[in-house]
Amino acid sequence: MDDDERYMRMALELAKNAEGRTSPNPMVGAVIVKDGRVVGCGWHRKAGTPHAEVHALAAAGELAKGAVIYVSLEPCSHFGRTPPCCDALIKAGIKRAVIAMEDTNPKVSGRGIKRMRAAGIEVVTGILANEARKLNEVFFKWIEKKMPFVTIKSAMTLDGKTATCTGQSKWITSEQSRQYGHRLRDINDAIIVGVNTVIADNPSLTTRLGENGKNPLRVVVDSCGRIPLDSKLLNDGEAPVLLAVTVKAPKERLKALADKNVQLIETKADANGRVCLPELFMKLAQQDICSVLVEGGATLMGSIIKEKLADKAYFFIAPKLVGGEKAKSAVAGEGIGNLSDAAQLTEVFTDILDGGDILVKGYLR
């Protein structure tokens, strides 16, 4: 591994420190090197706060003059909530900038690189570009497609059941798997469930990770506004709640929900009279919701897969067999007739977690 790759990997690792905290901004890490020694490093902590380059420059101080900076994404060139980072690099006297990839955000899109080159900085791009793009797969989906990055997650038995024939589901998987699930909630902007899940389980949909945890926006897909007014979601005050409905939801019901401080989004009805999921996701993206975690139920999961809306999947499989034709499965809906039409996971990763459960994750392209 040459020096450019080595220091860029360091920048990428630094960026990961802020996973789930920078939305709607990307995760970015920066490393400043002079005479073969790291003199400054930093990462973007949170949207609206200084960017990675600014933290690295502050750490380097006067040593930044004549140094090389490694940045996992093109430095910004526009005024947002913070000043342009490329101007800060020019002012500090950076001699060479090694950048993993250009930012596809139209507000940046090569302008930062152009400005630095015009100022006499040697700029190298494309170092670990694939790794940099995967690091910010959520950001790039939101920027380029105007849609959130959608992750589906389910916990099931070895025979694919999410509950017994009597509806018992607590707990199919181990404590370790559930903690992993809470971490997934923590790094996503929103968590989505269908109203039947709320009616059956009365979940909180919060992140139980202590002081370091972040609760996502809680979204319930509820075409007719059937969510119980006494449900935990509407009364615990732990995190905002958004209800996705259609015109079928009674107006007086919507008023009662609005009195609970519930945000309402109305979409057109799909062919089955349910919430139009592509329209819902588009409207969430317009509210700077860049990533969503779908936790069920089976009908909602089936619709998302059928509509080809999912980007990634996490399946936690407990080494248990419960059987039963009436026992619920992770994915419902009409299903497919031909195996050639099955949704296929790619880049599949499997792991045996502490507690004995099997994790299978991959991409749905």
Side-chain angles (χ1 to χ4, degrees):
M1 186 187 304
D2 63 20
D3 284 347
D4 283 354
E5 278 198 17
R6 180 158 61 94
Y7 292 124
M8 186 60 73
R9 288 197 187 280
M10 189 181 299
L12 290 168
E13 287 301 315
L14 286 169
K16 293 176 185 177
N17 285 324
E19 187 177 21
R21 298 297 182 271
T22 62
S23 181
N25 290 352
M27 293 178 281
V28 182
V31 176
I32 297 177
V33 177
K34 189 170 188 178
D35 298 328
R37 182 170 66 92
V38 174
V39 295
C41 58
W43 64 92
H44 183 39
R45 310 294 177 92
K46 184 180 179 181
T49 66
H51 291 184
E53 300 92 321
V54 174
H55 285 297
L57 288 172
E62 293 183 0
L63 292 175
K65 187 174 182 179
V68 180
I69 189 168
Y70 295 85
V71 192
S72 60
L73 189 65
E74 177 183 2
C76 65
S77 55
H78 64 289
F79 281 89
R81 284 181 277 186
T82 59
C85 288
C86 62
D87 289 354
L89 298 179
I90 294 168
K91 184 178 179 181
I94 289 291
K95 178 180 71 174
R96 181 171 182 258
V98 181
I99 300 166
M101 64 175 292
E102 292 186 14
D103 190 344
T104 59
N105 184 346
K107 294 179 180 179
V108 184
S109 194
R111 293 182 182 89
I113 293 172
K114 184 177 180 181
R115 191 179 299 182
M116 287 188 293
R117 283 177 172 157
I121 297 176
E122 177 192 351
V123 180
V124 177
T125 63
I127 305 299
L128 301 182
N130 290 337
E131 291 88 337
R133 185 171 181 87
K134 179 159 284 190
L135 172 72
N136 279 305
E137 59 190 2
V138 167
F139 172 76
F140 290 121
K141 167 86 181 287
W142 177 68
I143 282 289
E144 296 167 9
K145 305 294 185 183
K146 311 300 185 208
M147 293 283 276
F149 189 91
V150 180
T151 300
I152 59 174
K153 171 243 171 185
S154 188
M156 66 189 74
T157 61
L158 198 57
D159 51 345
K161 306 298 184 182
T162 58
T164 66
C165 61
T166 62
Q168 184 181 358
S169 61
K170 295 181 180 179
W171 296 105
I172 283 177
T173 52
S174 67
E175 173 64 24
Q176 290 81 1
S177 292
R178 297 197 296 277
Q179 281 295 108
Y180 199 124
H182 286 298
R183 289 197 296 274
L184 290 177
R185 291 180 180 181
D186 175 70
I187 64 175
N188 278 274
D189 295 336
I191 179 171
I192 300 183
V193 297
V195 68
N196 289 332
T197 295
V198 178
I199 293 171
D201 299 336
N202 194 21
S204 297
L205 302 181
T206 52
T207 302
R208 270 84 83 184
L209 294 176
E211 295 181 358
N212 295 324
K214 171 182 68 69
N215 288 328
L217 171 70
R218 299 174 292 184
V219 179
V220 180
V221 178
D222 184 8
S223 57
C224 297
R226 295 188 296 121
I227 185 171
L229 293 177
D230 62 351
S231 63
K232 291 179 184 177
L233 291 177
L234 303 186
N235 295 282
D236 62 13
E238 292 290 333
V241 178
L242 185 150
L243 203 68
V245 301
T246 67
V247 71
K248 295 189 300 180
K251 299 304 179 185
E252 63 274 12
R253 183 69 171 176
L254 296 183
K255 182 182 183 306
L257 290 164
D259 290 342
K260 291 279 191 179
N261 295 318
V262 174
Q263 181 187 351
L264 299 169
I265 284 184
E266 183 178 304
T267 76
K268 64 186 178 184
D270 65 12
N272 296 309
R274 302 188 184 109
V275 167
C276 176
L277 295 173
E279 183 183 351
L280 169 61
F281 287 163
M282 179 188 69
K283 289 182 174 180
L284 289 174
Q286 290 169 353
Q287 294 189 20
D288 289 351
I289 300 299
C290 303
S291 59
V292 299
L293 176 67
V294 182
E295 289 200 3
T299 300
L300 176 61
M301 201 79 77
S303 296
I304 285 174
I305 292 173
K306 181 181 179 181
E307 295 275 0
K308 295 181 170 59
L309 294 170
D311 296 288
K312 203 169 188 177
Y314 286 79
F315 290 100
F316 297 87
I317 304 170
K320 302 173 183 175
L321 300 169
V322 301
E325 292 182 1
K326 295 182 179 180
K328 294 181 179 180
S329 299
V331 181
E334 297 176 2
I336 59 169
N338 298 310
L339 281 174
S340 59
D341 296 327
Q344 182 74 42
L345 285 185
T346 62
E347 299 181 46
V348 178
F349 170 86
T350 61
D351 192 17
I352 298 178
L353 305 178
D354 292 339
D357 294 340
I358 303 164
L359 169 63
V360 179
K361 69 176 181 179
Y363 290 89
L364 286 155
R365 298 302 190 194

